[in-house]
Every structure is written in C-alpha cells, then in structure tokens.
Amino acid sequence: MPVLDLSYPAILNLFGDYAARGRTESNAFLAWFLQNFYRLEDTDVDDAICDHTKDKGIDGIYVSELFQQINVFQVWLRSAPTPKDLGDVDLKEFLGTLTQLQTPSDVRHIGATTTSTNLKKLISRWEIDKKIEEGYEVRGTFITNRTCNRDAHDLMHISPNLVVFDKVELERQFLPIDKTEPIASSITFDVSTVSVLQHKIEANLEMIMAPVAASELVKMDGIANQELFAWNLRYQLKRSPVNKAINKSLEEPSEHKYFPAFHNGLTVLTENLSFDKKNITISGYAVVNGCQSLSVLYHNDSSITPELRILTKFINVSPKSQLALKITDHTNRQNGITGRDLQSNNPLQTRLQSEVHKKYPNEVFYRIARGEHPEWPQAKVIENDVMARILLSFDEGEPYSAHQHYRLFEDLHAAIFGRPEVHADRLVALWDIDQIILANRSKMDDRPFAFYSLSRFLFHYLLRQALELDKGDGLKFCQRPSDYVGEVKGRDRLKRSIEPIVVALMNIVDADLKRRRQEEGDDFDYKKDLKSPTRIADIRSKVIPHYQMGIASKFTRSFTEEWKNSETAAASP
C-alpha cells in the first residue's frame, strides 16, 4: 500500500477539487476523509460538512442508519512541517463537545443557541434530536495529520465513543480506488470443535467449508477500510433488510447458535489454503460474498458470543483469476446486489457501451460497472451513474431527483436509458456539456453553491430550458444532437457554442443566490432547495426570464447564433 504524504503542505495535494470549493483547508481535509474512508457520495459529503466557523467544535455530522450511529467529526490539520504529537488535551475538549449531544433537549439547545446557521441546518436536516430519542449512539471521530502519543492512546482506550484517525491510522486504512491486491497477511481459524467439509473440485482446486467463529472472522485484515471486499461486486456496503436482521439477531444471544442455519454464509477466495484437522489457515485472500454481514459483525464485535459462528466457504483460487470472477458473479447473483451492478449486463447499458466505443474509439470510454477497466484514462471516461443523473436532469427535467442514487438503476432506469433518443451521440454531447459546466464553476461568486455536487445537474436542467426557447438550432440540438456532434469538428463547435450560454446562466443564478441570501437570511438552504421540485421550479421562473431578456437585448447570443459563429472559428487554421 502506498504511503500517504500527510505533511504540510504536501497533504493539500490530496484534497483535489474539494479544496477549490471555497472551503477551508480543514473542511477540504474532512471532505477527502469522508470520500475515502466513509465511502460517501459527493452529495452526502457536501451535506455532512459545516462550512462555517462558530460551530461549537463540530466540523461535520453524518448519520448511519445501518449502524444507528450519529458520527460527529472534528478536524485538526497542523500546518507545521513536523507537527508535534497529538496528546489528550484536544481529545478531551472534543469529548466535551460530544456531551452537547447527549439528550434531545441538548441538541435542541444547540440548534437554538449556535450562531452557525450551517450547523443549525445540519442538526435540523438530520433530525438529530429525534435520532437520539430513538436510541442512536453518538460517536466522535477526530481526524488529524498528527501522531497520537501515549496519553492520547490511554484516553482512547477508556473512551468507547471516540475514534481517532491520526497520521498512523490514516496511512494504515487508506485504500486507493484502483487497489485490487488480495490481503497478503496470514490468518488461522480454529475449527477443532466443529465439523469440516473438505472437497477437492479438481487437481489444484480445493474447497473447505466450516462454521467459523465470528469472533475470529472479524479479525481479518481490511474490514475497516473495505480492502477485504475489493474483489466483490458490491464495493460499497449499504443498508439492507439483511443488515437489520443481523443487527436484531445480535441483540438476542440465544439466537447466536442458529446463525449457520439461517445465514447464507461467507465466500472467501484465497491464494493459499491449508487444513490440518484443527485449523484452517489462509493468505492472499478476499471476501466476495457475505461482505455486508461481515461488516455488520465487525462494527458490533462487542455483541459477538462464542456460540456465534458463520458458515464459511474457503476456495483456494486467486481472487485475481478468471475463475474467481465467475465465482464472484454467481455467488452474488444468488443475493441482492446494487442496481448499477445488476444493470451492468442489461442490454441498454452494454449496447450503449458498444456504440460509444465503436463511434468514438479511444476518444471516450463508457464505464458501466465500478472498477471496470481501471486502465482507461479517467479524463476520457463517462461513468454511467453520472450520465444517468445528467439524462435525468437534461432530458427528463428532474434535477431534484439526481441525489437519489438508489433509483437511477432501479425504477428510473428504463425511463432514463430506455428511449430511442439515448444513443452514443447524445451521451457524448451531454458529457462534453458537463465538462463545460464543471470547468466554469470556479467563475461563480457563490463557490459553495457552485461546487455542491447537485448544482451541476441544475445547470443541465436550466440549459435545456434555455435551448428549448431557441426554436432554431437550440431546439434541434435537444432533439437530434447527432446533427451537431457529427459535423466537422462538431464536438469542438458544440463546446464553443454552449459555453457562453452556460456562463450566462451561472451569472444569473449567482445574482439570484445573492438576492435570496439577503432576503431569506438564516432560512436560506440551497442544499435542501436542490432536492425540491417546487424550489427547482421557482429557480427556473427567476433564471429563464432573465436569460430571455439577455437574448432580446442582444446582451447574450442564442445557441443558433453561437453555432453559426463556431463554423467560422472551426474553419480557421
């Protein structure tokens, strides 16, 4: 695993586009952490962070419904070249911060007294007081580029609700997205008191099945950072009825002995497998089925009793082999998988992928499953989950649904992709437009709004509304983008023609945001607005008429005019 450079200022290079969103360096650090260690989507990252000061020591909040936890974050980014070790002083202050969230009345008091409107909205949006009434646990996560000293470790040992990610822990748990190596370390499981099935599939392929103690399974490396699950179809562990059922069973010790009977078990692929009648030893391994269950057990290890065992299937095949891919595919298809994974074999997706790669060879790549072809240059990759949100906003007029990731490849999939007008040219044209939107966000005055993950989809929606006003080339482009990207230097001309319109819309939105912030004060909440059909309609009613006035006054040119001008520019040497 590569070593992270967490020294200052080298650490700033890790933060990427989060540092460009008008955030403080500490908030950019937290955003990077949430994306890489909590595996949150961009929208969830943005929604979890307090963007302003005077936040009563709370830099962010994320509620996990799966584990019924309220995660409170505090970040300390030290800018000294060699920062001193982290002792217990800052951690004790943070623990004091957590006491402000002990009861529902405590939470309501913070909401009423804090001068941070962002924190007030965060507490309200997550309904923290209600969550505490329901019994959710408050856990503090302290994140720093310093290294814990002995005092800090002693305090952590007696503070079960405190988690610290210091320099050492960040380096230990960091998992690059493209990392696919199995867990190299060796681990042994005691099966001396249980029955073991040993089956030789072929000469060099063996399978061993046994009810393994859950207390030993949770000791496998790579659970905390999900490295253990890198070869599974489901990269991110999400809530499900199975998780809830396991949580409920964990609360009933009398049910623990029945786990092998009602749990489907784990599938572990391992490069090295040995069995001596008493112990099973593996190395070079990965869990490809049962990942969610193992993660739940890991996070609730204090509830595990000696009677709790999981039926585990060990197969001595490298997780990197072709056979492993088949095993992973078949074992996961016997259980629920994420919508995107399931639709990766849908003809709607495979056909689009073939069309894009045939018509735009080596220019654009269409990825239909996470982890697919990591060698593709990222700057040329269209992720189908991002394209789903673009199509939902531009074609279907629903940018307010773009945050509902779980629907994109489930009940919305056919409406988004199952249309004759959804073809390679439309995808590439809209992807080019998306690059224009992303490239111009930094020009907006309201940078937090500009870089909020849902804002880009608002601009796709507004652009469609603006183009449809142009009964010439604007409307024709919406209907038949092939006629435009198919022209000589068509993609370049499209970008040149669209950019002034995008910039004009951003300027109008900027002005409207300024007005609304002044009028609505603390009640202004763009994160909530961008998920509301009513608010989106209201934004359109303010922005599009101003755009029309710009066209009428010749202050802004229509797409038809821009397209004609682009022809002259394209003809220039």
Side-chain angles (χ1 to χ4, degrees):
M1 180 176 295
V3 177
L4 293 176
D5 189 350
L6 298 175
S7 63
Y8 191 92
I11 190 174
L12 302 180
N13 295 325
L14 297 174
F15 303 159
D17 127 294
Y18 284 116
R21 300 189 180 193
R23 298 193 187 285
T24 64
E25 291 178 348
S26 292
N27 278 338
F29 188 12
L30 177 55
W32 171 81
F33 173 85
L34 291 173
Q35 183 185 59
N36 287 277
F37 293 82
Y38 271 58
R39 301 295 192 268
L40 299 188
E41 298 280 355
D42 279 351
T43 304
D44 294 330
V45 169
D46 288 337
D47 287 350
I49 295 175
C50 290
D51 290 320
H52 302 110
T53 57
K54 300 180 182 180
D55 52 19
K56 293 186 178 290
I58 298 173
D59 294 329
I61 298 175
Y62 174 72
V63 175
S64 170
E65 295 183 19
L66 173 62
F67 301 119
Q68 294 195 321
Q69 292 173 350
I70 300 168
N71 298 277
V72 180
F73 303 99
Q74 188 174 104
V75 177
W76 281 89
L77 175 62
R78 289 304 186 190
S79 58
T82 53
K84 65 178 182 180
D85 288 347
L86 174 68
D88 59 3
V89 176
D90 291 332
L91 296 182
K92 286 179 178 177
E93 290 182 2
F94 184 40
L95 287 172
T97 295
L98 298 182
T99 62
Q100 301 175 94
L101 302 172
Q102 284 187 329
T103 67
S105 60
D106 290 337
V107 175
R108 288 190 282 269
H109 176 72
I110 290 179
T113 60
T114 179
T115 57
S116 169
T117 57
N118 200 264
L119 176 60
K120 185 180 298 185
K121 293 171 187 175
L122 199 58
I123 290 173
S124 173
R125 195 181 300 125
W126 281 116
E127 297 183 319
I128 300 299
D129 56 340
K130 293 182 180 179
K131 294 291 191 298
I132 291 177
E133 278 184 332
E134 293 170 8
Y136 278 54
E137 174 194 9
V138 176
R139 290 166 58 91
T141 300
F142 191 94
I143 307 154
T144 182
N145 60 334
R146 290 185 285 172
T147 301
C148 289
N149 65 16
R150 179 62 181 271
D151 291 337
H153 282 290
D154 288 344
L155 180 62
M156 291 159 56
H157 183 70
I158 61 173
S159 306
N161 65 329
L162 175 65
V163 179
V164 178
F165 280 82
D166 66 345
K167 179 178 181 293
V168 175
E169 195 65 12
L170 289 171
E171 290 176 346
R172 188 182 75 82
Q173 293 202 31
F174 179 71
L175 175 65
I177 291 177
D178 60 353
K179 182 174 178 62
T180 54
E181 289 301 312
I183 304 298
S185 59
S186 174
I187 185 171
T188 297
F189 304 99
D190 181 359
V191 290
S192 59
T193 61
V194 297
S195 300
V196 178
L197 170 65
Q198 192 171 12
H199 174 55
K200 203 169 190 64
I201 299 174
E202 56 186 35
N204 297 311
L205 183 61
E206 184 179 20
M207 178 178 72
I208 297 176
M209 295 181 64
V212 179
S215 58
E216 295 184 5
L217 289 170
V218 297
K219 294 178 181 178
M220 287 193 285
D221 288 338
I223 299 177
N225 62 2
Q226 300 191 41
E227 183 181 8
L228 179 62
F229 314 131
W231 291 90
N232 186 48
L233 287 177
R234 288 168 287 190
Y235 287 82
Q236 292 182 320
L237 306 180
K238 300 184 182 293
R239 71 193 70 156
S240 72
V242 174
N243 300 137
K244 295 177 181 178
I246 293 174
N247 271 320
K248 186 175 181 180
S249 295
L250 281 171
E251 297 172 359
E252 299 292 338
S254 61
E255 292 191 4
H256 287 193
K257 61 184 177 182
Y258 300 116
F259 259 67
F262 58 63
H263 187 274
N264 288 336
L266 306 181
T267 300
V268 182
L269 307 185
T270 177
E271 294 173 341
N272 302 293
L273 173 64
S274 65
F275 173 50
D276 63 4
K277 306 304 180 184
K278 292 184 178 181
N279 299 291
I280 296 173
T281 302
I282 62 174
S283 62
Y285 57 89
V287 173
V288 298
N289 189 250
C291 305
Q292 294 186 347
S293 303
L294 185 55
S295 183
V296 172
L297 290 169
Y298 173 82
H299 287 284
N300 293 275
D301 61 340
S302 61
S303 300
I304 295 175
T305 64
E307 287 189 304
L308 203 164
R309 291 180 174 270
I310 301 294
L311 188 62
T312 306
K313 178 166 57 179
F314 301 95
I315 306 173
N316 72 319
V317 61
S318 171
K320 298 184 285 186
S321 68
Q322 288 299 312
L323 177 58
L325 293 176
K326 291 184 179 181
I327 295 172
T328 303
D329 179 74
H330 294 331
T331 55
N332 277 280
R333 288 188 183 280
Q334 295 170 12
N335 302 287
I337 60 176
T338 62
R340 187 186 186 192
D341 293 326
L342 183 62
Q343 299 293 1
S344 63
N345 286 327
N346 188 306
L348 290 177
Q349 294 300 324
T350 55
R351 186 179 297 113
L352 279 172
Q353 186 178 64
S354 298
E355 285 180 3
V356 170
H357 294 176
K358 182 178 181 180
K359 193 158 189 178
Y360 299 90
N362 298 317
E363 293 182 49
V364 180
F365 300 90
Y366 185 64
R367 181 174 287 147
I368 60 179
R370 185 181 173 187
E372 179 186 28
H373 291 286
E375 76 278 5
W376 287 346
Q378 190 58 40
K380 295 183 179 182
V381 172
I382 301 175
E383 300 284 355
N384 69 337
D385 56 339
V386 175
M387 181 51 61
R389 300 161 85 182
I390 292 173
L391 288 167
L392 184 64
S393 304
F394 188 88
D395 282 356
E396 300 299 302
E398 295 185 26
Y400 46 81
S401 298
H403 67 290
Q404 298 174 327
H405 313 287
Y406 64 94
R407 299 184 62 200
L408 300 177
F409 293 91
E410 294 181 8
D411 62 301
L412 292 176
H413 183 256
I416 293 173
F417 291 102
R419 298 174 286 126
E421 62 268 27
V422 179
H423 44 63
D425 287 337
R426 179 171 288 273
L427 264 56
V428 171
L430 292 180
W431 182 69
D432 284 342
I433 289 172
D434 190 55
Q435 303 311 298
I436 294 296
I437 292 172
L438 295 179
N440 282 279
R441 292 180 300 178
S442 59
K443 297 177 182 177
M444 291 186 68
D445 292 333
D446 199 322
R447 293 174 71 84
F449 177 90
F451 284 92
Y452 183 54
S453 59
L454 294 184
S455 297
R456 69 199 280 195
F457 306 110
L458 170 69
F459 287 112
H460 278 285
Y461 166 73
L462 293 175
L463 177 64
R464 176 63 181 259
Q465 302 298 305
L467 290 174
E468 287 186 339
L469 296 174
D470 179 357
K471 302 307 179 182
D473 287 306
L475 182 58
K476 290 178 182 177
F477 167 77
C478 295
Q479 297 169 340
R480 295 186 302 276
S482 299
D483 294 347
Y484 296 83
V485 294
E487 290 280 348
V488 176
K489 297 185 179 180
R491 291 180 64 193
D492 289 337
R493 291 182 60 190
L494 175 63
K495 295 175 187 177
R496 189 186 298 270
S497 302
I498 286 292
E499 186 165 23
I501 301 174
V502 167
V503 171
L505 291 171
M506 287 183 171
N507 288 337
I508 298 170
V509 169
D510 236 346
D512 190 56
L513 288 169
K514 185 177 181 180
R515 174 190 63 80
R516 290 188 57 202
R517 285 187 185 278
Q518 292 174 343
E519 292 179 357
E520 300 177 25
D522 291 350
D523 293 330
F524 177 64
D525 188 351
Y526 65 84
K527 294 179 180 179
K528 184 177 180 179
D529 291 349
L530 289 175
K531 299 165 190 165
S532 164
T534 303
R535 282 297 196 178
I536 292 294
D538 182 60
I539 292 171
R540 185 209 178 280
S541 70
K542 301 293 192 303
V543 174
I544 297 303
H546 278 85
Y547 173 77
Q548 285 179 291
M549 288 189 289
I551 295 293
S553 64
K554 304 298 181 182
F555 184 76
T556 302
R557 290 191 298 208
S558 67
F559 178 78
T560 296
E561 295 172 297
E562 295 289 359
W563 182 254
K564 289 178 180 176
N565 290 337
S566 72
E567 183 175 15
T568 303
S572 302

